[in-house]
């Protein structure tokens, strides 16, 4: 026991490790609170596995649920869930910084290093100012979302309930969580342009990343934006438009999804599904009734996810963009990978390849393991796994029927997807000393 204690003292709490452990602790606290009888409508504990799954889904801003959020949880349970979503979306370190600033405490160097890791920043300068901006912009955007949603929800549900619905769904959408307390996501509002565009806008803004907001507010011109912002905006638009038209083409004659909608509503539903499939688990049509072709399209979009430094998951848009640009450069025989008249550093390319490889390996391994523990076809299990990894929250209807082992596996996948596979690798791998020499270069044949 003493030797184990000494081992724990030797463990260096580097920023990735603090980040990973912090999210884990937040999930555990949420699970304990949601397991209380007061959190459930029937006054009975939901069971620790189910509460752990729900807490992980909320903290990891995913949206996968084992029970209907509107029907099962009391007001206390719903408040716990939305607080976990807000803390998970902003990051526990950002929330801790808020408390420290309110108490007048200084932010230490170690805390700044964790904030730097959490917000995916390259430099230490201006981190506290950036944190203030993150907090202010988040509250402002969510407040605007509440106002817009209340235009529909208050007349529909009454003042108090309508306002609570507006607050809950505005936070859930901006944090890319996908939890709803309507009972059937926004299916009842499938043809409502205000609801659809408000939630879609909150999701898109939340998925861009805070550094992009700052860049846009300072530069106010696309040409003057940093390379990161240009790439994020460009790839986001390409994915949304491409996803929308693919869904529209494949599902246009599906009687269970788009076939019975008007032309305008078909475009609206296809647009909404394209937006939410990359990171937020809302839906305006029945996802379980989609054709398998559409399901596979959504899997690709979910795996890519949102952008770095945002509330979204997945391998991220810039990672995907870097890989595509590198592939194009290799095919063309270019020595450098360039975009918008800027060359991409080789270290960034290597990091993008590592993130994609680890993410793909994780999704494949978890999907294969689930085929041993769960019933259902492989596409549904792959869809569920990718949704968990991309912290999306969409499901083809198998989440409530998962076994306890399956729930634990999906919970871990959501956690790894939120923290980031590469961050987890950095957090718990042993630091290797740089060698004093390099090996001779050798050739291998690939392709």
């Amino acid at each position: 026991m003493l030797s184990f204690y000494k081992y724990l003292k030797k463990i260096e709490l580097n920023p990735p490790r603090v980040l990973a452990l912090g999210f884990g602790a937040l999930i555990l606290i949420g699970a304990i609170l949601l397991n209380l009888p007061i959190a459930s409508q029937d006054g009975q504990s939901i069971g620790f596995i189910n509460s752990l799954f729900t807490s992980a889904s909320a903290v990891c801003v995913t949206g996968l649920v084992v029970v209907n959020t509107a029907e099962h949880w009391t007001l206390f349970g719903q408040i716990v869930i939305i607080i976990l979503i807000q803390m998970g979306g902003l990051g526990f370190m950002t929330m801790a910084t808020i408390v420290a600033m309110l108490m007048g405490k200084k932010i230490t160097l170690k805390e700044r290093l964790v904030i730097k890791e959490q917000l995916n920043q390259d430099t230490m300068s201006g981190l506290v100012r950036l944190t203030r901006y993150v907090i202010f912009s988040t509250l402002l955007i969510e407040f605007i979302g509440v106002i817009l949603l209340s235009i529909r929800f208050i007349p529909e549900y009454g003042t108090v309930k309508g306002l609570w619905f507006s607050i809950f769904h505005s936070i859930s959408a901006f944090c890319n969580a996908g939890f709803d307390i309507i009972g059937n996501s926004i299916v009842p509002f499938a043809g409502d342009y205000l609801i659809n565009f408000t939630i879609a806008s909150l999701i898109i803004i939340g998925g861009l990343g805070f550094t992009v907001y700052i860049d846009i507010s300072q530069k106010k011109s696309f040409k003057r934006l940093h390379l990161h912002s240009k790439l994020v905006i460009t790839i986001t638009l390409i994915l949304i438009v491409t996803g929308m038209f693919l869904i529209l083409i494949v599902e246009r004659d599906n009687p269970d999804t788009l076939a019975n909608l008007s032309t305008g509503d078909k475009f609206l539903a296809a647009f909404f599904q394209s937006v939410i499939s990359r990171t937020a688990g809302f839906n305006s049509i029945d996802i379980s009734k989609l054709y398998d072709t559409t399901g596979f399209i959504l899997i690709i979009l979910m795996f890519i996810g949102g952008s770095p430094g945002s509330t979204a998951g997945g391998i991220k848009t810039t990672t995907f963009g870097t890989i595509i640009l590198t592939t194009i450069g290799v095919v063309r025989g270019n020595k450098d990978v360039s975009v918008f008249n800027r060359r991409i550093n080789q270290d960034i390319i290597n990091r993008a390849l590592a993130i994609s490889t680890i993410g793909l390996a994780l999704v494949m391994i978890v999907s294969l393991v689930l085929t041993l523990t769960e019933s259902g076809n492989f596409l549904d299990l792959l869809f569920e796994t990718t949704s968990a990894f991309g912290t999306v929250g969409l499901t083809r209807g198998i989440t409530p029927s998962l076994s306890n082992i399956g729930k634990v596996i999906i919970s871990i996948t959501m956690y790894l997807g939120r923290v980031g596979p590469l961050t987890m690798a950095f957090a718990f791998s042993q630091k290797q000393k740089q060698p004093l020499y390099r090996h001779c270069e050798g050739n291998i044949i690939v392709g």
Side-chain angles (χ1 to χ4, degrees):
M1 187 70 182
L2 185 61
S3 60
F4 178 70
Y5 177 73
K6 288 181 179 179
Y7 170 76
L8 288 178
K9 291 189 71 176
K10 288 180 181 179
I11 295 177
E12 180 188 355
L13 288 178
N14 55 37
R17 193 168 292 169
V18 171
L19 205 59
L21 294 175
F23 272 106
L26 191 57
I27 290 171
L28 183 59
I29 292 170
I32 293 170
L33 292 174
L34 291 175
N35 197 39
L36 297 174
I38 193 177
S40 299
Q41 292 279 7
D42 59 5
Q44 302 293 321
S45 172
I46 192 176
F48 187 73
I49 296 295
N50 289 328
S51 65
L52 179 69
F53 185 97
T54 306
S55 179
S57 184
V59 172
C60 300
V61 289
T62 304
L64 290 173
V65 293
V66 290
V67 293
N68 189 297
T69 307
E71 297 174 358
H72 179 84
W73 302 107
T74 61
L75 179 61
F76 172 80
Q78 292 176 6
I79 290 173
V80 170
I81 288 172
I82 204 63
I83 290 173
L84 292 175
I85 289 172
Q86 186 75 86
M87 294 184 72
L90 286 175
F92 82 96
M93 199 59 213
T94 303
M95 303 300 292
T97 304
I98 296 174
V99 175
M101 288 191 296
L102 290 175
M103 295 177 65
K105 292 184 177 181
K106 289 186 177 182
I107 310 301
T108 66
L109 177 61
K110 180 171 282 191
E111 289 167 344
R112 290 171 192 263
L113 286 169
V114 179
I115 295 171
K116 173 177 173 289
E117 180 71 27
Q118 179 178 276
L119 296 178
N120 283 297
Q121 297 300 298
D122 296 322
T123 176
M124 291 278 289
S125 70
L127 282 177
V128 176
R129 185 171 65 252
L130 174 61
T131 303
R132 290 197 190 100
Y133 184 89
V134 167
I135 297 164
F136 174 77
S137 61
T138 296
L139 295 178
L140 177 62
I141 294 168
E142 290 175 348
F143 178 70
I144 295 172
V146 169
I147 293 174
L148 293 174
L149 292 175
S150 64
I151 295 174
R152 288 287 188 271
F153 286 155
I154 288 179
E156 180 74 22
Y157 299 106
T159 304
V160 176
K161 189 175 181 181
L163 186 59
W164 170 236
F165 273 38
S166 302
I167 293 171
F168 189 99
H169 293 99
S170 180
I171 295 173
S172 181
F174 178 75
C175 291
N176 285 212
F179 276 82
D180 78 277
I181 50 175
I182 296 172
N184 191 20
S185 197
I186 68 160
V187 173
F189 301 92
D192 192 312
Y193 283 75
L194 178 62
I195 295 292
N196 278 260
F197 279 113
T198 298
I199 291 180
S201 298
L202 288 168
I203 291 168
I204 292 169
I205 294 170
L208 288 177
F210 299 107
T211 52
V212 177
Y213 309 160
I214 296 175
D215 204 16
I216 293 173
S217 65
Q218 291 177 345
K219 302 296 171 36
K220 297 180 174 64
S221 170
F222 185 82
K223 290 183 178 179
R224 297 173 58 197
L225 294 177
H226 290 117
L227 175 61
H228 171 81
S229 300
K230 289 181 179 179
L231 202 57
V232 165
I233 294 170
T234 302
I235 296 173
T236 297
L237 289 174
I238 290 173
L239 290 173
I240 290 173
V241 174
T242 303
M244 180 184 74
F245 280 107
L246 288 175
I247 293 169
L248 192 64
I249 291 169
V250 177
E251 292 292 322
R252 69 188 185 281
D253 296 324
N254 187 342
D256 295 319
T257 55
L258 300 185
N260 298 322
L261 301 178
S262 65
T263 301
D265 287 352
K266 283 180 181 178
F267 274 92
L268 179 64
F271 164 76
F272 190 79
Q273 260 45 240
S274 179
V275 170
I276 58 93
S277 64
R278 288 189 27 253
T279 186
F282 291 99
N283 60 283
S284 60
I285 56 178
D286 192 341
I287 299 298
S288 65
K289 300 294 178 61
L290 293 172
Y291 290 143
D292 287 351
T293 304
T294 310
F296 190 71
I297 292 169
L298 297 188
I299 287 173
I300 295 171
L301 293 174
M302 290 191 296
F303 184 73
I304 296 170
S307 302
S310 72
T311 56
I315 63 170
K316 305 297 189 295
T317 52
T318 48
T319 304
F320 173 73
T322 300
I323 292 171
I324 295 298
L325 289 168
T326 302
T327 304
I328 293 172
V330 171
V331 171
R332 289 180 175 178
N334 297 335
K335 185 176 180 180
D336 295 324
V337 178
S338 302
V339 61
F340 295 116
N341 298 317
R342 290 291 185 272
R343 177 172 55 85
I344 299 178
N345 187 282
Q346 186 61 44
D347 288 340
I348 295 175
I349 296 173
N350 293 341
R351 188 181 179 95
L353 289 170
I355 291 171
S356 302
T357 303
I358 295 172
L360 185 61
L362 176 64
V363 168
M364 289 296 100
I365 291 171
V366 171
S367 299
L368 290 172
V369 171
L370 287 179
T371 61
L372 302 176
T373 64
E374 312 301 318
S375 59
N377 64 61
F378 182 72
L379 183 65
D380 289 348
L381 296 173
L382 178 62
F383 192 97
E384 191 85 3
T385 302
T386 310
S387 179
F389 169 75
T391 67
V392 180
L394 293 178
T395 179
R396 286 167 68 91
I398 68 171
T399 308
S401 61
L402 288 172
S403 66
N404 284 338
I405 296 175
K407 290 172 185 176
V408 172
I409 292 172
I410 292 295
S411 297
I412 294 171
T413 306
M414 290 189 286
Y415 171 67
L416 294 175
R418 181 66 183 101
V419 176
L422 201 58
T423 300
M424 287 297 296
F426 288 154
F428 297 104
S429 62
Q430 295 294 324
K431 186 180 286 187
Q432 301 292 326
K433 293 182 179 179
Q434 291 297 323
L436 300 177
Y437 59 90
R438 297 175 71 186
H439 293 288
C440 297
E441 189 177 275
N443 289 324
I444 59 174
I445 300 173
V446 296

